[in-house]
Amino acid sequence: MPIKSFVQLIKLFTFFVGLIIFVSILANESPIIFLSGLGVATGFVMLVFKDTILGFAAGIQLSANRMISLNDWIQMNAYGANGTVEEISLTTVKVRNFDNTVSMLPAYALVKNAFINWQDMSDSGGRRIERSVNIDVTSIGLSMKVSKQTYSTTSTLLCRCLAYVHIKL
């Protein structure tokens, strides 16, 4: 989990604790009274900050499950993102596209929608490409005829050792 996520989480927690203590000092009441009233206000806060809460939970899920990490190559067509991850925070993921534009993706979109993480393919040093090659089965046969005029003596010796497949075009 990136350190930036922990820092944001600690800042958020200390902000709410400080806010409760500040309001309790201003009202000259115990902080426990405000904590009990917080349960009622939670429903309202969840409606107002729905996207922020979703992003927060998704950011933790992205980091905990290691779905993406810095410098991963990801593709998410719904947001026009196809590039490397530059920054991961609790609510957003910053992607630098290959045309040098920047896409800011909400963290909950990466958990909710499908995206492709190409990093394992990139790390392997190769790329799998699927292509179809159509060959007419009736055009394939064994060719035992080797023209001495076509091949030199070394290739003729090699031709005698190998079975050739002759494809009629």
PDB file of all heavy atoms in Angstrom, residues 69-85:
ATOM      1  N   SER A  69      -0.143  -0.843  -9.281  1.00  0.00           N
ATOM      2  CA  SER A  69       0.928  -0.189  -8.529  1.00  0.00           C
ATOM      3  C   SER A  69       1.558   0.862  -9.435  1.00  0.00           C
ATOM      4  O   SER A  69       1.220   0.961 -10.615  1.00  0.00           O
ATOM      5  CB  SER A  69       1.956  -1.201  -8.040  1.00  0.00           C
ATOM      6  OG  SER A  69       2.494  -1.920  -9.126  1.00  0.00           O
ATOM      7  N   LEU A  70       2.465   1.639  -8.881  1.00  0.00           N
ATOM      8  CA  LEU A  70       3.096   2.699  -9.653  1.00  0.00           C
ATOM      9  C   LEU A  70       3.838   2.122 -10.855  1.00  0.00           C
ATOM     10  O   LEU A  70       4.424   1.038 -10.777  1.00  0.00           O
ATOM     11  CB  LEU A  70       4.068   3.489  -8.780  1.00  0.00           C
ATOM     12  CG  LEU A  70       3.437   4.332  -7.680  1.00  0.00           C
ATOM     13  CD1 LEU A  70       4.517   5.004  -6.842  1.00  0.00           C
ATOM     14  CD2 LEU A  70       2.502   5.373  -8.257  1.00  0.00           C
ATOM     15  N   ASN A  71       3.801   2.841 -11.957  1.00  0.00           N
ATOM     16  CA  ASN A  71       4.453   2.486 -13.228  1.00  0.00           C
ATOM     17  C   ASN A  71       3.838   1.278 -13.914  1.00  0.00           C
ATOM     18  O   ASN A  71       4.442   0.724 -14.833  1.00  0.00           O
ATOM     19  CB  ASN A  71       5.963   2.281 -13.043  1.00  0.00           C
ATOM     20  CG  ASN A  71       6.640   3.548 -12.589  1.00  0.00           C
ATOM     21  OD1 ASN A  71       6.305   4.635 -13.057  1.00  0.00           O
ATOM     22  ND2 ASN A  71       7.578   3.419 -11.679  1.00  0.00           N
ATOM     23  N   ASP A  72       2.652   0.839 -13.503  1.00  0.00           N
ATOM     24  CA  ASP A  72       1.939  -0.208 -14.232  1.00  0.00           C
ATOM     25  C   ASP A  72       1.335   0.383 -15.497  1.00  0.00           C
ATOM     26  O   ASP A  72       0.902   1.529 -15.520  1.00  0.00           O
ATOM     27  CB  ASP A  72       0.804  -0.799 -13.385  1.00  0.00           C
ATOM     28  CG  ASP A  72       1.265  -1.891 -12.459  1.00  0.00           C
ATOM     29  OD1 ASP A  72       2.479  -2.139 -12.407  1.00  0.00           O
ATOM     30  OD2 ASP A  72       0.413  -2.488 -11.781  1.00  0.00           O
ATOM     31  N   TRP A  73       1.290  -0.433 -16.542  1.00  0.00           N
ATOM     32  CA  TRP A  73       0.644  -0.031 -17.790  1.00  0.00           C
ATOM     33  C   TRP A  73      -0.783  -0.544 -17.734  1.00  0.00           C
ATOM     34  O   TRP A  73      -1.014  -1.746 -17.728  1.00  0.00           O
ATOM     35  CB  TRP A  73       1.405  -0.609 -18.972  1.00  0.00           C
ATOM     36  CG  TRP A  73       0.720  -0.484 -20.303  1.00  0.00           C
ATOM     37  CD1 TRP A  73      -0.302   0.344 -20.646  1.00  0.00           C
ATOM     38  CD2 TRP A  73       1.030  -1.220 -21.479  1.00  0.00           C
ATOM     39  NE1 TRP A  73      -0.649   0.171 -21.958  1.00  0.00           N
ATOM     40  CE2 TRP A  73       0.159  -0.790 -22.496  1.00  0.00           C
ATOM     41  CE3 TRP A  73       1.953  -2.202 -21.782  1.00  0.00           C
ATOM     42  CZ2 TRP A  73       0.185  -1.308 -23.789  1.00  0.00           C
ATOM     43  CZ3 TRP A  73       1.976  -2.711 -23.065  1.00  0.00           C
ATOM     44  CH2 TRP A  73       1.109  -2.264 -24.060  1.00  0.00           C
ATOM     45  N   ILE A  74      -1.752   0.380 -17.630  1.00  0.00           N
ATOM     46  CA  ILE A  74      -3.158  -0.023 -17.566  1.00  0.00           C
ATOM     47  C   ILE A  74      -3.926   0.594 -18.726  1.00  0.00           C
ATOM     48  O   ILE A  74      -3.516   1.604 -19.296  1.00  0.00           O
ATOM     49  CB  ILE A  74      -3.823   0.354 -16.226  1.00  0.00           C
ATOM     50  CG1 ILE A  74      -3.935   1.863 -16.057  1.00  0.00           C
ATOM     51  CG2 ILE A  74      -3.116  -0.285 -15.068  1.00  0.00           C
ATOM     52  CD1 ILE A  74      -4.836   2.268 -14.912  1.00  0.00           C
ATOM     53  N   GLN A  75      -5.041  -0.034 -19.048  1.00  0.00           N
ATOM     54  CA  GLN A  75      -5.929   0.444 -20.102  1.00  0.00           C
ATOM     55  C   GLN A  75      -7.357   0.380 -19.590  1.00  0.00           C
ATOM     56  O   GLN A  75      -7.803  -0.667 -19.131  1.00  0.00           O
ATOM     57  CB  GLN A  75      -5.769  -0.416 -21.354  1.00  0.00           C
ATOM     58  CG  GLN A  75      -6.691  -0.044 -22.476  1.00  0.00           C
ATOM     59  CD  GLN A  75      -6.525  -0.973 -23.679  1.00  0.00           C
ATOM     60  OE1 GLN A  75      -5.686  -1.862 -23.694  1.00  0.00           O
ATOM     61  NE2 GLN A  75      -7.346  -0.765 -24.679  1.00  0.00           N
ATOM     62  N   MET A  76      -8.043   1.513 -19.666  1.00  0.00           N
ATOM     63  CA  MET A  76      -9.443   1.581 -19.274  1.00  0.00           C
ATOM     64  C   MET A  76     -10.155   2.445 -20.307  1.00  0.00           C
ATOM     65  O   MET A  76     -10.095   3.671 -20.276  1.00  0.00           O
ATOM     66  CB  MET A  76      -9.605   2.149 -17.874  1.00  0.00           C
ATOM     67  CG  MET A  76     -10.991   2.031 -17.349  1.00  0.00           C
ATOM     68  SD  MET A  76     -11.007   2.363 -15.585  1.00  0.00           S
ATOM     69  CE  MET A  76     -12.656   1.820 -15.203  1.00  0.00           C
ATOM     70  N   ASN A  77     -10.802   1.771 -21.257  1.00  0.00           N
ATOM     71  CA  ASN A  77     -11.400   2.470 -22.394  1.00  0.00           C
ATOM     72  C   ASN A  77     -12.539   3.386 -22.001  1.00  0.00           C
ATOM     73  O   ASN A  77     -12.782   4.392 -22.661  1.00  0.00           O
ATOM     74  CB  ASN A  77     -11.871   1.458 -23.437  1.00  0.00           C
ATOM     75  CG  ASN A  77     -10.708   0.709 -24.052  1.00  0.00           C
ATOM     76  OD1 ASN A  77      -9.601   1.218 -24.124  1.00  0.00           O
ATOM     77  ND2 ASN A  77     -10.957  -0.516 -24.475  1.00  0.00           N
ATOM     78  N   ALA A  78     -13.249   3.079 -20.933  1.00  0.00           N
ATOM     79  CA  ALA A  78     -14.390   3.903 -20.518  1.00  0.00           C
ATOM     80  C   ALA A  78     -13.957   5.321 -20.160  1.00  0.00           C
ATOM     81  O   ALA A  78     -14.725   6.269 -20.321  1.00  0.00           O
ATOM     82  CB  ALA A  78     -15.102   3.259 -19.338  1.00  0.00           C
ATOM     83  N   TYR A  79     -12.729   5.491 -19.701  1.00  0.00           N
ATOM     84  CA  TYR A  79     -12.215   6.807 -19.314  1.00  0.00           C
ATOM     85  C   TYR A  79     -11.131   7.304 -20.264  1.00  0.00           C
ATOM     86  O   TYR A  79     -10.503   8.314 -20.001  1.00  0.00           O
ATOM     87  CB  TYR A  79     -11.679   6.762 -17.878  1.00  0.00           C
ATOM     88  CG  TYR A  79     -12.780   6.666 -16.858  1.00  0.00           C
ATOM     89  CD1 TYR A  79     -13.266   5.432 -16.464  1.00  0.00           C
ATOM     90  CD2 TYR A  79     -13.354   7.800 -16.311  1.00  0.00           C
ATOM     91  CE1 TYR A  79     -14.285   5.331 -15.528  1.00  0.00           C
ATOM     92  CE2 TYR A  79     -14.368   7.708 -15.387  1.00  0.00           C
ATOM     93  CZ  TYR A  79     -14.827   6.469 -15.002  1.00  0.00           C
ATOM     94  OH  TYR A  79     -15.839   6.381 -14.086  1.00  0.00           O
ATOM     95  N   GLY A  80     -10.894   6.592 -21.353  1.00  0.00           N
ATOM     96  CA  GLY A  80      -9.881   7.000 -22.313  1.00  0.00           C
ATOM     97  C   GLY A  80      -8.473   6.925 -21.767  1.00  0.00           C
ATOM     98  O   GLY A  80      -7.604   7.686 -22.185  1.00  0.00           O
ATOM     99  N   ALA A  81      -8.224   6.022 -20.859  1.00  0.00           N
ATOM    100  CA  ALA A  81      -6.903   5.899 -20.241  1.00  0.00           C
ATOM    101  C   ALA A  81      -6.175   4.694 -20.818  1.00  0.00           C
ATOM    102  O   ALA A  81      -6.709   3.590 -20.854  1.00  0.00           O
ATOM    103  CB  ALA A  81      -7.039   5.746 -18.732  1.00  0.00           C
ATOM    104  N   ASN A  82      -4.964   4.934 -21.305  1.00  0.00           N
ATOM    105  CA  ASN A  82      -4.098   3.865 -21.790  1.00  0.00           C
ATOM    106  C   ASN A  82      -2.666   4.341 -21.612  1.00  0.00           C
ATOM    107  O   ASN A  82      -2.122   5.029 -22.467  1.00  0.00           O
ATOM    108  CB  ASN A  82      -4.393   3.527 -23.248  1.00  0.00           C
ATOM    109  CG  ASN A  82      -3.614   2.313 -23.720  1.00  0.00           C
ATOM    110  OD1 ASN A  82      -2.980   1.622 -22.937  1.00  0.00           O
ATOM    111  ND2 ASN A  82      -3.660   2.053 -25.008  1.00  0.00           N
ATOM    112  N   GLY A  83      -2.077   4.008 -20.469  1.00  0.00           N
ATOM    113  CA  GLY A  83      -0.731   4.479 -20.182  1.00  0.00           C
ATOM    114  C   GLY A  83      -0.237   3.966 -18.848  1.00  0.00           C
ATOM    115  O   GLY A  83      -0.732   2.973 -18.328  1.00  0.00           O
ATOM    116  N   THR A  84       0.740   4.672 -18.289  1.00  0.00           N
ATOM    117  CA  THR A  84       1.371   4.227 -17.046  1.00  0.00           C
ATOM    118  C   THR A  84       0.801   4.977 -15.849  1.00  0.00           C
ATOM    119  O   THR A  84       0.491   6.169 -15.935  1.00  0.00           O
ATOM    120  CB  THR A  84       2.893   4.440 -17.100  1.00  0.00           C
ATOM    121  OG1 THR A  84       3.157   5.809 -17.372  1.00  0.00           O
ATOM    122  CG2 THR A  84       3.525   3.585 -18.167  1.00  0.00           C
ATOM    123  N   VAL A  85       0.688   4.274 -14.741  1.00  0.00           N
ATOM    124  CA  VAL A  85       0.174   4.854 -13.496  1.00  0.00           C
ATOM    125  C   VAL A  85       1.273   5.706 -12.874  1.00  0.00           C
ATOM    126  O   VAL A  85       2.367   5.218 -12.613  1.00  0.00           O
ATOM    127  CB  VAL A  85      -0.276   3.747 -12.522  1.00  0.00           C
ATOM    128  CG1 VAL A  85      -0.703   4.333 -11.197  1.00  0.00           C
ATOM    129  CG2 VAL A  85      -1.384   2.916 -13.136  1.00  0.00           C
TER     130      VAL A  85
END
